[in-house]
Amino acid sequence: MALVMGVDSSTQSCKVVVVDAGTGRVVREGRAAHPSGTSVGPEAWWQALQDAIAQAGGLDGVAAVSIAGQQHGMVVLDDDGAVIRDALLWNDTRSAQAARDLIDEVGAAEFAERTGAVPVASFTGTKLRWLRDAEPDNAARVAAVALPHDWLTWRLRGFGPGNPVLEELVTDRSDASGTAYWGADGYDLDLFRRSLGHDAVLPRVLGPWESAGTLAGGALVGPGAGDNAGAALGLGAGVGDVVVSLGTSGTVFAVSDAPTRDTSGTVAGFADATGRFLPLVATLNAARVLDAFAGLLGVTHDELGALALAAEPGADGVVLVPWFEGERTPNLPHAQASLTGLTLASTNRPNFARAAIEGMLSGLAAGLEAIQAQGVEVRRILLIGGAAANEGVARIAAQVFDAEIVVPAAGEYVALGAARQAAGVLAGGPVEWAVATTRAVDPDHRAAIRARYDIVAALRAAE
Ligand SMILES: Nc1ncnc2c1ncn2[C@@H]1O[C@H](COP(=O)(O)OP(=O)(O)O)[C@@H](O)[C@H]1O
Ligand SMILES: O=C(CO)[C@@H](O)[C@H](O)COP(=O)(O)O
């Protein structure tokens, strides 16, 4: 039995699965936590990766490995292969003005045409522009720019400060498509130079089943992927499938044969990990909203879900607009959260729990409508990510989204997608694995939840 390893280096942790390359069955697993914060030293990810791999029994017997990871993070390297400063993550909003500056110079429609998306503070290019303006000495030292998964792949292959071969950096088109300087013809070096202010080495973009090389022990290394594209691959998502992922970020995305170019900037026209496209809407406020409310109410996640189900849909008028970390969609990087609609009668624990879940999901439901408006077909929604394990979340999702909700069997779908890519690299092309058992949630759409949320969110956005 050939074994392959898949990695998800996500915002909060690193997850490793070792699976049977023929069937996708998980045989070993490991996990290690990442530091909190929106600016993180990449060495912590490298340490967590090594810990998680060790927990998963190491690379013994592994024939191929691929690393997927959180998108967009800016990892800047000097000539010696050393990291110049902490990486700015996808949820760091300090580059909001830099994003506006780039759009003013290039134009939103031109950005959408050239890269498939209009940049917001999450995108790598805006972080490079921030570096150019705020830390010019650091910007001048940049010899290479990588994304989190590119850099980890490079380290795993033995490169780094002791062996700084920058030209050995590799990536894939799914993660490259989130930089704001990559398009249908490859890197857009004009946009890259506008961001950083000068040229630098960029990771070579490998094909979906192309190998980056071989580890000392003999394992092939795959190109890796952005985490959302990794999840789509792990789920075997096809045209008509929409994935809603509830991790640190909330994302809603669909697999599409055709690219999208939303000049409003709501839908990011990313690439997937197989040669297709992945139109995506992301929010900055998802599972951590529930973490905060579970803490506030002094309950576990499961108890929070049960409390929410004890309240009526609409939470008796209580609305949480959950922009705790600012927001990306809508693009309000400096916004704050608000809880409104409180009366003496409605101020109770079940309504608070329900408002938290409804608020987290409502922004994503609006995102799904924006994706549909791009002409993308929607047949069903697959609910994944840490908060998808919550029964209350799944049932309330069936009330907030106007589409069939399906919850795949619990699993690390990003890491599984990376493993499936590794199996494809080994086989020289895509492999078919049976998709894990899924559970459909009874349809229960309640249009009134979104109607009220949209009114309150629009008022907050206008402030
Ligand atoms: N049963 C649950 N209900 C709600 N939230 C949960 C539950 N289990 C885990 N979480 C939350 O999910 C998040 C982790 O999800 P994950 O998809 O791994 O995030 P990321 O990919 O951003 O690192 C954490 O904030 C965690 O507290
Ligand atoms: O910015 C995006 C997508 O554009 C986020 O989805 C990140 O890729 C982080 O994902 P999680 O770690 O929250 O799953």
Side-chain angles (χ1 to χ4, degrees):
M1 173 176 75
L3 295 178
V4 289
M5 178 181 282
V7 176
D8 175 14
S9 176
S10 73
T11 311
Q12 295 191 45
S13 62
C14 183
K15 305 141 199 176
V16 170
V17 294
V18 176
V19 308
D20 178 334
T23 63
R25 186 177 61 86
V26 176
V27 296
R28 308 197 302 253
E29 283 184 273
R31 170 188 291 262
H34 284 162
S36 58
T38 62
S39 170
V40 170
E43 278 299 325
W45 301 332
W46 174 230
Q47 190 56 53
L49 174 63
Q50 293 173 89
D51 292 350
I53 289 178
Q55 236 185 67
L59 281 150
D60 282 356
V62 170
V65 53
S66 279
I67 300 177
Q70 54 175 312
Q71 293 187 250
H72 314 300
M74 177 192 77
V75 181
V76 280
L77 305 176
D78 67 13
D79 275 324
D80 298 326
V83 172
I84 292 172
R85 73 174 320 287
D86 282 357
L88 299 185
L89 305 197
W90 62 277
N91 53 354
D92 189 291
T93 54
R94 77 187 71 184
S95 57
Q97 183 57 46
R100 281 191 290 272
D101 292 346
L102 282 166
I103 293 167
D104 285 348
E105 286 170 26
V106 176
E110 176 85 6
F111 253 118
E113 183 57 34
R114 283 163 71 172
T115 70
V118 183
V120 289
S122 293
F123 288 52
T124 327
T126 74
K127 298 176 190 303
L128 292 173
R129 169 58 76 93
W130 173 87
L131 189 74
R132 188 201 79 169
D133 295 344
E135 297 182 354
D137 292 347
N138 279 339
R141 289 174 54 211
V142 175
V145 180
L147 297 167
H149 106 254
D150 315 341
W151 182 78
L152 285 168
T153 302
W154 191 65
R155 294 300 306 267
L156 188 68
R157 292 172 58 223
F159 302 104
N163 185 17
V165 190
L166 300 178
E167 292 69 23
E168 284 292 342
L169 282 161
V170 296
T171 192
D172 85 309
R173 61 193 277 287
S174 71
D175 229 5
S177 69
T179 56
Y181 47 80
W182 188 86
D185 301 326
Y187 287 115
D188 189 323
L189 296 178
D190 166 58
L191 292 178
F192 179 76
R193 284 183 208 113
R194 277 179 192 275
S195 300
L196 179 62
H198 61 88
D199 285 321
V201 174
L202 289 169
R204 194 158 55 88
V205 182
L206 300 181
W209 319 112
E210 194 176 339
S211 171
T214 309
L215 298 183
L220 287 170
V221 181
D227 56 0
N228 294 292
L233 187 55
L235 289 161
V239 172
D241 287 334
V242 168
V243 181
V244 170
S245 170
L246 303 170
T248 316
S249 64
T251 55
V252 50
F253 53 93
V255 174
S256 166
D257 284 327
T260 57
R261 292 193 173 78
D262 179 5
T263 53
S264 79
T266 303
V267 180
F270 294 153
D272 86 339
T274 69
R276 293 177 294 179
F277 297 91
L278 200 78
L280 177 147
V281 173
T283 67
L284 300 185
N285 299 285
R288 278 181 173 152
V289 174
L290 307 192
D291 296 349
F293 270 72
L296 175 73
L297 298 172
V299 295
T300 63
H301 284 123
D302 286 348
E303 288 165 349
L304 184 82
L307 264 180
L309 291 174
E312 289 298 317
D316 206 6
V318 179
V319 174
L320 177 75
V321 179
W323 298 335
F324 290 93
E325 309 240 65
E327 194 44 281
R328 166 166 160 187
T329 318
N331 185 13
L332 298 165
H334 307 298
Q336 292 174 332
S338 68
L339 189 62
T340 58
L342 304 181
T343 63
L344 283 180
S346 67
T347 302
N348 57 50
R349 292 156 62 81
N351 281 339
F352 276 30
R354 182 173 261 277
I357 296 175
E358 290 182 350
M360 172 186 72
L361 295 172
S362 288
L364 292 168
L368 177 56
E369 286 169 7
I371 289 175
Q372 284 176 294
Q374 292 295 307
V376 174
E377 185 182 338
V378 178
R379 276 186 232 139
R380 58 175 190 163
I381 293 174
L382 299 156
L383 204 59
I384 61 162
N390 193 299
E391 180 63 17
V393 170
R395 287 183 43 200
I396 293 171
Q399 298 176 335
V400 174
F401 288 93
D402 189 10
E404 184 194 0
I405 301 283
V406 162
V407 184
E412 293 297 343
Y413 286 96
V414 177
L416 284 166
R420 190 161 170 168
Q421 182 191 69
V425 169
L426 197 60
V431 296
E432 287 304 319
W433 286 349
V435 180
T437 311
T438 56
R439 177 177 69 80
V441 183
D442 287 340
D444 190 17
H445 183 230
R446 309 292 181 108
I449 298 175
R450 271 288 308 292
R452 173 121 175 93
Y453 176 89
D454 286 356
I455 291 169
V456 178
L459 286 171
R460 288 308 316 267
E463 280 173 5

